[in-house]
Amino acid sequence: MTSVKMVARRPRRRATGWSFVALYVVLLVAFGVVPVIYAIVTAFFVTPVVGPTYFSLLDNFAAVLADYRLPVAAVNVAMYLLIWLPLLLVVVFVIALVLDAKRTRLGALTRFISYVPGAVTGSAAALLWLFMFSPAVSPIGPLLAPLVGANGIIISDSSLPMILAVMGVAIGAGGWIVMLYGALTAIPPELIEAARIDGANVWQQALHIKLPLIRSYVAFILIVSFAAGFQVFVEPQVLGTGARGQVSSTWSVNQLVYSYASGESNYGRASALSVLLLIITVTAAVIIIRKTKFYSIDGRS
Amino acid sequence: MKSRNLAMLGIAAVGAIVLAGCSGAASDAPEQDADASITVWVDDTRTAPAEEYAAAHPELKVKIEPVDNTQGAISSRIALATKAGDDLPDVVFLSTPDELSSLLANPVNFPLGLDGDIDQGVLDGFAEGSTGACTFGGTVYCLPNDIAQTVVYYNKPLFEQFGYTVPTTFDEWLALGEKLAVEHPGYSLGTVNARYGLDAYYASSQCELTDSDDPTTVTLDPTAEECTRVNAVVGPLLANGTLSTLDPFDPAFVPLVTDGKMLATISPSWMGEYGIKPNSPTEGQWAVALTPSWGGTDEHVSGAVGGGVWVVSAKSANQKAAIEFATALSTDPEIQSAAPTYPADTASAEKWLEKVSADPWYAEDPSAVLSEAAGQLSPTQGYVRYNTQLLDNFNATVIADAGGDIDAAWATFGEQALAAAKAAGYTVNK
């Protein structure tokens, strides 16, 4: 109640607050809220091959959940997430810790170098990695020898989780390293000193002091990465068109959505599956936020 | 306050969407205007001839738009434009003609039935069987532009050097592959990845996977002998490595062609010009023969691996001009004889073959074989909405298995093919 009174007393401050977020709200409504509502509405309309469109609460969802491609795509994405997320977190945390532990004059340069691969993202990165993983043209060809299959190629349905995980770490880690490094430098030095006096070694300091203090940052990385990884689309799509006939056009769940919408012109099913994806990513985000007390300030509850 | 605002916004948005949906319903028979200009969507290859024809016929008022023709791009663009109530093209060139089956279904219903409006002589002029896949419910919905009949491309000097004869039956083809693997390991009989397997090997055996005569039914029987006898050839040759699991344009396969390690391949009629010539440019090496016959008969059947079609919009305001344009582009011997691929129109094909028979790249004149194969298209290949899934599933089962246990892999593929057809809204006949 106090906050309401304060706001009432200071209408100008409230207007200022709104003006800060106004542009964001407009964009969020135009490109976030409206499409989601449109998808939810569309998900309840079934378009048969012949005959009129009709309303049904369940038909599209049932058809999507019964699709033989969905379990395959779900397993592909799960494999990818299981490899990528732990790998990403470990790489990001370890490199950020090393940068933090040994603050030399080269620190800024090292941070810059680790950030550079992140400059090439999305479809451009996928194209780049398509070359990296084509043994015939790859600049690191000899290193890839153990990965090459009997038919002389590397990129295939089954190798894709590993390839995407490597790509994802190479592209995504840099930005997170810079962010986590910033979080680590914000930890009061007296805390670390106290831990050291109590006999904690570097490893113990990292695990028991630093990690809990930057918990909410790790949670943020997890939420953003999970949502992005769960909806992986561009990378398998580009690698698939490049490595012709080696990657299924419905390798990931989001590609299945795309296939419904573009190949089959079945917007009802595309929307139904999108809505299911949204429910899963939002649920996961809520769980992570709750478990890590994400909104508590600086990780202190 | 905040949540009420959001709710209001939601209701407004839903209302707007519902209204948009209602106004988007266009009538199917627009008023015809003989002076209306027409819009034509083409791929890169068809852009120049379309523009030249449009320039030579200003009275047709044609606007040529080159568009992205990757698999599914055109049909989804038309579907979205239909849904949004935007302008639709009057004529479309489809380089993946399976998209016709999507255009024929809800919510698009785009193609115009052509029989009544087109001279029967034009339809009769196409190679035998080439309009079959365009026909749904007895109505022709597309004009074939080019046909991709399969033939055997073989390296003639290499056959002479090895002392082999070119197979005319698939029993001989299998025997050749088994001998080749033992006597000359590392040499190849081409690839069976995706459509290069399904549309060449299985289609030439008349294995019914996509035989569709109307938008809601398909004949699909992967357990038939026409299918399983192909496994008995493809399986052993995949296992011994003479057949590759790669796409013929894969950087890992192309070196076989460049290094002269490809003895022969069963490939569509465009493969010589596009796939083999650029990588094996030496003159006097490559010749063509009919696709081998199945089942101990001498009845040769060709599969079709691709081949583009022209589609006219039922929603065009100037259907007469649209039909005239599509007909000209597909049957004008001037245009078609300059085309890079084998013309579906027989008169154009004869002119096209004159150019090919004079090409010194071939070891022998291929025109007689190409023309005979063009008239032997498999009647079992149709345009269906699950073609992409079919190719994906084939690669995920038979190709991924690489000759390990092809019968088991094929059985899995068969189940997935049935599931794909049903999910796409087909009633499946056996």
Side-chain angles (χ1 to χ4, degrees):
Chain A
M1 282 315 276
T2 47
S3 67
V4 172
K5 266 185 208 155
M6 275 174 63
V7 167
R9 243 184 282 144
R10 295 179 199 167
R12 191 176 292 167
R13 177 183 261 191
R14 188 179 165 187
T16 315
W18 270 106
S19 73
F20 284 151
V21 293
L23 180 63
Y24 175 73
V25 169
V26 169
L27 293 176
L28 179 70
V29 169
F31 300 108
V33 177
V34 170
V36 166
I37 293 171
Y38 186 58
I40 293 171
V41 172
T42 312
F44 296 116
F45 286 94
V46 184
T47 311
V49 177
V50 280
T53 300
Y54 63 92
F55 176 86
S56 163
L57 274 181
L58 290 176
D59 279 10
N60 281 327
F61 292 93
V64 163
L65 290 175
D67 195 308
Y68 68 103
R69 290 169 290 176
L70 183 59
V72 182
V75 167
N76 286 337
V77 172
M79 292 279 292
Y80 161 55
L81 288 178
L82 280 175
I83 300 172
W84 177 53
L85 287 182
L87 192 66
L88 179 74
L89 285 183
V90 168
V91 167
V92 166
F93 191 60
V94 166
I95 294 183
L97 274 179
V98 170
L99 288 177
D100 182 50
K102 299 268 176 222
R103 286 187 208 166
T104 64
R105 278 193 307 176
L106 289 176
L109 181 67
T110 332
R111 287 199 301 280
F112 177 69
I113 289 172
S114 56
Y115 183 71
V116 164
V120 185
T121 56
S123 52
L127 266 181
L128 183 75
W129 284 86
L130 180 64
F131 281 100
M132 296 290 276
F133 281 110
S134 300
V137 291
S138 174
I140 52 165
L143 293 176
L144 297 172
L147 304 173
V148 178
N151 53 5
I153 54 153
I154 295 175
I155 298 170
S156 70
D157 281 355
S158 51
S159 68
L160 213 48
M162 187 53 105
I163 288 171
L164 292 183
V166 171
M167 271 176 72
V169 171
I171 294 163
W176 296 133
I177 289 169
V178 172
M179 191 191 86
L180 264 200
Y181 175 79
L184 286 170
T185 53
I187 294 175
E190 52 268 33
L191 266 180
I192 306 297
E193 209 177 316
R196 197 167 56 231
I197 290 164
D198 284 347
N201 61 27
V202 175
W203 176 244
Q204 286 165 328
Q205 287 169 31
L207 212 61
H208 298 294
I209 310 289
K210 292 179 180 175
L211 184 59
L213 285 173
I214 57 168
R215 189 173 51 195
S216 60
Y217 293 91
V218 175
F220 180 69
I221 297 176
L222 254 183
I223 294 170
V224 173
S225 303
F226 178 83
F230 197 75
Q231 300 179 58
V232 62
F233 174 79
V234 171
E235 292 85 352
Q237 188 81 2
V238 173
L239 290 175
T241 43
R244 296 167 66 129
Q246 306 302 328
V247 178
S248 164
S249 60
T250 54
W251 187 87
S252 77
V253 182
N254 220 5
Q255 283 179 292
L256 182 55
V257 174
Y258 179 73
S259 164
Y260 284 137
S262 76
E264 300 165 35
S265 305
N266 198 326
Y267 301 110
R269 284 185 198 176
S271 304
L273 189 51
S274 312
V275 170
L276 293 177
L277 282 184
L278 184 73
I279 292 172
I280 292 171
T281 43
V282 169
T283 310
V286 168
I287 291 172
I288 295 172
I289 287 170
R290 286 261 169 90
K291 287 278 175 203
T292 58
K293 299 176 182 124
F294 183 65
Y295 286 113
S296 61
I297 290 157
D298 275 346
R300 295 179 199 109
S301 33
Chain B
M1 186 68 182
K2 208 169 158 193
S3 61
R4 207 171 66 200
N5 278 347
L6 258 179
M8 291 286 284
L9 194 76
I11 291 162
V14 172
I17 289 159
V18 170
L19 281 176
C22 293
S23 63
S27 88
D28 268 330
E31 204 167 307
Q32 293 299 303
D33 172 5
D35 286 331
S37 65
I38 56 170
T39 306
V40 180
W41 285 5
V42 285
D43 66 346
D44 283 345
T45 316
R46 259 45 67 164
T47 304
E51 277 173 349
E52 280 160 27
Y53 188 84
H57 294 81
E59 76 282 2
L60 285 179
K61 293 185 198 146
V62 186
K63 196 173 144 232
I64 307 293
E65 277 184 31
V67 295
D68 170 22
N69 68 321
T70 48
Q71 176 101 41
I74 289 175
S75 55
S76 61
R77 216 176 132 182
I78 291 178
L80 283 173
T82 308
K83 211 168 157 59
D86 284 353
D87 286 345
L88 291 165
D90 301 88
V91 179
V92 176
F93 178 80
L94 296 179
S95 47
T96 43
D98 279 279
E99 292 186 52
L100 179 67
S101 58
S102 302
L103 294 178
L104 271 168
N106 270 332
V108 192
N109 302 311
F110 175 81
L112 178 69
L114 298 169
D115 317 51
D117 302 307
I118 213 160
D119 187 8
Q120 189 59 37
V122 171
L123 294 177
D124 292 342
F126 290 110
E128 198 183 334
S130 63
T131 54
C134 286
T135 312
F136 290 87
T139 305
V140 179
Y141 285 100
C142 61
L143 298 177
N145 178 76
D146 55 296
I147 43 182
Q149 73 276 33
T150 57
V151 289
V152 179
Y153 281 92
Y154 64 96
N155 188 320
K156 201 176 174 214
L158 206 53
F159 262 88
E160 283 162 8
Q161 186 194 326
F162 290 173
Y164 295 159
T165 47
V166 179
T168 58
T169 69
F170 268 99
D171 290 336
E172 292 171 17
W173 184 260
L174 174 62
L176 174 72
E178 287 178 332
K179 208 155 69 170
L180 184 68
V182 176
E183 295 176 359
H184 303 282
Y187 281 81
S188 175
L189 288 181
T191 90
V192 286
N193 184 289
R195 57 183 186 150
Y196 302 100
L198 281 181
D199 292 348
Y201 281 74
Y202 290 87
S204 70
S205 176
Q206 305 191 51
C207 168
E208 290 178 308
L209 297 169
T210 58
D211 193 356
S212 172
D213 290 330
D214 82 84
T216 53
T217 54
V218 68
T219 307
L220 198 170
D221 186 8
T223 57
E225 203 222 332
E226 284 80 5
C227 302
T228 52
R229 67 185 176 190
V230 186
N231 295 338
V233 172
V234 169
L237 298 186
L238 273 175
N240 74 16
T242 46
L243 280 182
S244 168
T245 57
L246 297 173
D247 184 280
F249 296 95
D250 194 289
F253 181 80
V254 170
L256 287 179
V257 187
T258 322
D259 301 344
K261 289 285 180 77
M262 190 167 78
L263 177 67
T265 174
I266 300 176
S267 288
S269 55
W270 49 262
M271 187 59 87
E273 199 69 27
Y274 280 101
I276 305 176
K277 201 190 236 179
N279 298 308
S280 176
T282 313
E283 290 180 358
Q285 283 200 322
W286 290 91
V288 297
L290 289 179
T291 304
S293 63
W294 289 97
T297 68
D298 58 358
E299 186 203 357
H300 294 270
V301 176
S302 282
V305 190
V309 298
W310 294 92
V311 180
V312 174
S313 168
K315 288 150 192 167
S316 168
N318 191 354
Q319 292 176 352
K320 195 169 163 290
I323 291 172
E324 193 180 329
F325 187 83
T327 308
L329 266 287
S330 53
T331 62
D332 186 314
E334 281 296 310
I335 298 173
Q336 280 292 343
S337 61
T341 47
Y342 190 97
D345 175 56
T346 308
S348 305
E350 278 165 19
K351 224 176 151 200
W352 186 87
L353 285 169
E354 287 170 19
K355 178 185 69 180
V356 172
S357 62
D359 186 346
W361 180 73
Y362 289 97
E364 321 177 323
D365 181 359
S367 51
V369 170
L370 288 175
S371 141
E372 195 178 344
Q376 296 170 335
L377 289 178
S378 167
T380 58
Q381 280 179 291
Y383 300 145
V384 292
R385 292 183 296 277
Y386 56 90
N387 193 53
T388 312
Q389 287 96 295
L390 209 61
L391 301 178
D392 273 351
N393 296 340
F394 181 71
N395 279 348
T397 53
V398 174
I399 293 302
D401 178 66
D405 183 353
I406 194 168
D407 293 328
W410 180 262
T412 312
F413 165 74
E415 285 161 21
Q416 293 179 348
L418 281 171
K422 284 177 186 159
Y426 285 96
T427 310
V428 177
N429 301 324
K430 270 205 171 181

